[in-house]
Every structure is written in structure tokens, then in C-alpha cells.
């Protein structure tokens, strides 16, 4: 099964993708996490991506498409994957089709911009494994320490309020058109993001048809 999670930055799509990946035992693929690793390790792709990410812009399609293609060609992606943060442009969606990737379902997590701005400040991410947290809605067990590895849960540089607004704008301009793209293919299911993560989880599982 191949799934796509679609949603604005801070919509909680990464958190839901983690739940579904665990439940269905399919590989989560977050292009944001892969890119942050690439930046940290100063790879060629990382060096190309950094300035776009810091500004809240999209990394150029050719860079991200290359990264995604390499990742899903790995043996651990054989039984399916959940794409979190890809595609983000219609070009990227077309590239997926050209790769011959069959998408079963696209789950959109819909959250109003006002609510996103309000909660972005509390968001944290593990600097080692990429696991996501929120100081209020999904705190780590030990303050600032990742629950799943020995990494630290830190605030991302691009979660500053100014950058968040830029990222929301980019989302509405470039990524939101993907709703139509996948709705026309009959593959889109929309979940209204709830205040409580557990409530969104229930609705997400319902949309996918799992329990
Ligand atoms: P969020 O969903 O919170 O915005 P991500 O971790 O998915 O965060 O992405 C962080 C940044 O990485 C984006 O703002 C963008 O610069 C870059 N990025 C991630 N995925 C893509 C993609 N598919 N295409 C272009 N840029 C991407
Ligand atoms: Zn971790």
C-alpha cells in the first residue's frame, strides 16, 4: 500500500503518518526529515537545499524528486510507503506518476491557518531520528529528550513565526492544488484536524479503513 499525507506545515500530518506507519508496518518517508539530514551531513543535495528551507521556500523539484526516487528504490520500501511532505507541487505529483508509483490513497489533514500559527511555536523535532513532538499536545516523556532515541527534541529553525507565514503562503499557492489533482483521480480523503491528536488519529484511521 502506498499512501500520501497532504497538509499544511504544522497540520499534524507527520504525526499521523507516524501512527499509520507503525500500525500498518509500512515505511514512512518524510522528505523534510531526509532534507534536514542532508543539510546536517552537508551532502550535495543538502547544500543545494539549505537556503530554500531556511527561507521557508520549497526546495527545487529536481533536487527533491531525485532524493525521493533514491529513497523509495531501497529494499525497505518494497512493501509500500507513506509519503509525508511529498509531492508538494503538481510537477512532483507528475514525476511520481512517471516513476510508475501507484498511489492507493491521499489523506489530507485540513487545519485552519489561524490554528496552525497558534501552535507552531510549541512544535519540536528530534535532531537525530526526526520524531515529532509538541510541548503541549505531544510532550516528550523527559523534557527536551526524544522518546525513541538519545537525540534532543529541539525547535526547527524554520518554525519561527515569520517563516511559518511564508511556508503557509507557499502551501496555498503550490501544494493545495494537489487536492484537486488527486480528487479528480478519486483518491482524496479529507480529515478535519482536531484539537486532540487522538481524535485526529481516530478520523485518520477511519479514512484509511484501519482500526
Ligand atoms: P512542514 O510540513 O512542517 O513544512 P517538512 O519537514 O515537511 O515540514 O519540510 C520542511 C522544508 O523542507 C520545507 O519547508 C521545504 O523547504 C523542504 N521540503 C520538504 N519536502 C519538500 C518537497 N517535497 N518539495 C520541496 N521542498 C520540500
Ligand atoms: Zn529521536
Amino acid at each position: 500500500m502506498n499512501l500520501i499525507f497532504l497538509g499544511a506545515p504544522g497540520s499534524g500530518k507527520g504525526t499521523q503518518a507516524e501512527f499509520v506507519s507503525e500500525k500498518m508496518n509500512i515505511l514512512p518517508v518524510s522528505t523534510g526529515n531526509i532534507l534536514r539530514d542532508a543539510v546536517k551531513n552537508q551532502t550535495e543535495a543538502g547544500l543545494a537545499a539549505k537556503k530554500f528551507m531556511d527561507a521557508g521556500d520549497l526546495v527545487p523539484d529536481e533536487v527533491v524528486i531525485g532524493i525521493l526516487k533514491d529513497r523509495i528504490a531501497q529494499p525497505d520500501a518494497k512493501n509500500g510507503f507513506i509519503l509525508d511532505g511529498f509531492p508538494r507541487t503538481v510537477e512532483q505529483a507528475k514525476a511520481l506518476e512517471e516513476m510508475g508509483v501507484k498511489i492507493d490513497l491521499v489523506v489530507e489533514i485540513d487545519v485552519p491557518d489561524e490554528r496552525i500559527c497558534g501552535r507552531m511555536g510549541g512544535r519540536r523535532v528530534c535532531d537525530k531520528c526526526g520524531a515529532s513532538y509538541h510541548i503541549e499536545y505531544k510532550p516528550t516523556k523527559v523534557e527536551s529528550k526524544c522518546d525513541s532515541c538519545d537525540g534532543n527534541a529541539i525547535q526547527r529553525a524554520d518554525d519561527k513565526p515569520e517563516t511559518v507565514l511564508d511556508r503557509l503562503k507557499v502551501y496555498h499557492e503550490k501544494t493545495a492544488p494537489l487536492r484537486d489533482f488527486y480528487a479528480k483521480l478519486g483518491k482524496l480523503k479529507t480529515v478535519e484536524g482536531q484539537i486532540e491528536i487522538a481524535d485526529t488519529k481516530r478520523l485518520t484511521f477511519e479514512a484509511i479503513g484501519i482500526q
Side-chain angles (χ1 to χ4, degrees):
M1 184 130 160
N2 297 326
L3 303 174
I4 291 174
F5 272 70
L6 196 65
S11 60
K13 66 179 184 322
T15 300
Q16 297 302 328
E18 284 169 21
F19 289 142
V20 174
S21 141
E22 223 167 89
K23 181 78 193 179
M24 300 180 77
N25 199 17
I26 49 180
L27 181 76
V29 177
S30 154
T31 45
N33 283 351
I34 297 174
L35 285 167
R36 277 186 288 279
D37 268 349
V39 170
K40 203 164 70 185
N41 299 324
Q42 303 193 337
T43 66
E44 201 180 321
L47 293 173
K50 186 173 187 316
K51 65 171 189 290
F52 297 101
M53 295 175 74
D54 286 347
D57 265 334
L58 293 185
V59 173
D61 285 334
E62 61 275 17
V63 177
V64 188
I65 291 168
I67 284 178
L68 194 271
K69 212 170 183 172
D70 289 348
R71 185 63 192 91
I72 63 176
Q74 304 291 313
D76 58 353
K78 270 214 175 63
N79 294 327
F81 41 78
I82 300 181
L83 300 183
D84 162 19
F86 188 99
R88 252 181 165 92
T89 62
V90 172
E91 277 313 305
Q92 293 178 15
K94 287 184 179 157
L96 261 187
E97 288 188 330
E98 275 154 28
M99 289 175 219
V101 172
K102 189 178 74 61
I103 298 299
D104 298 286
L105 190 67
V106 178
V107 180
E108 182 208 357
I109 311 285
D110 187 27
V111 175
D113 285 5
E114 308 80 72
R115 198 169 346 127
I116 285 176
C117 291
R119 71 187 187 191
M120 281 303 250
R123 191 152 91 142
R124 298 291 181 270
V125 60
C126 172
D127 60 359
K128 202 159 177 188
C129 76
S132 55
Y133 300 97
H134 192 284
I135 53 174
E136 202 173 326
Y137 304 108
K138 193 191 176 194
T140 51
K141 293 193 184 104
V142 178
E143 202 183 318
S144 306
K145 289 282 167 202
C146 181
D147 291 354
S148 4
C149 78
D150 62 354
N152 292 309
I154 57 162
Q155 182 166 43
R156 275 166 43 181
D158 61 347
D159 276 351
K160 297 188 299 268
E162 318 86 82
T163 319
V164 169
L165 288 179
D166 288 334
R167 284 159 62 207
L168 277 173
K169 189 157 163 261
V170 169
Y171 176 76
H172 290 296
E173 275 173 24
K174 309 236 173 91
T175 308
L178 288 174
R179 289 195 290 234
D180 274 354
F181 184 94
Y182 287 112
K184 283 196 183 111
L185 297 172
K187 296 194 167 161
L188 183 75
K189 288 215 176 157
T190 298
V191 168
E192 299 298 333
Q194 306 294 309
I195 308 273
E196 294 293 332
I197 292 179
D199 293 331
T200 309
K201 179 178 174 186
R202 186 174 37 78
L203 295 174
T204 301
F205 279 27
E206 241 171 63
I208 300 174
I210 55 177
Q211 285 196 355

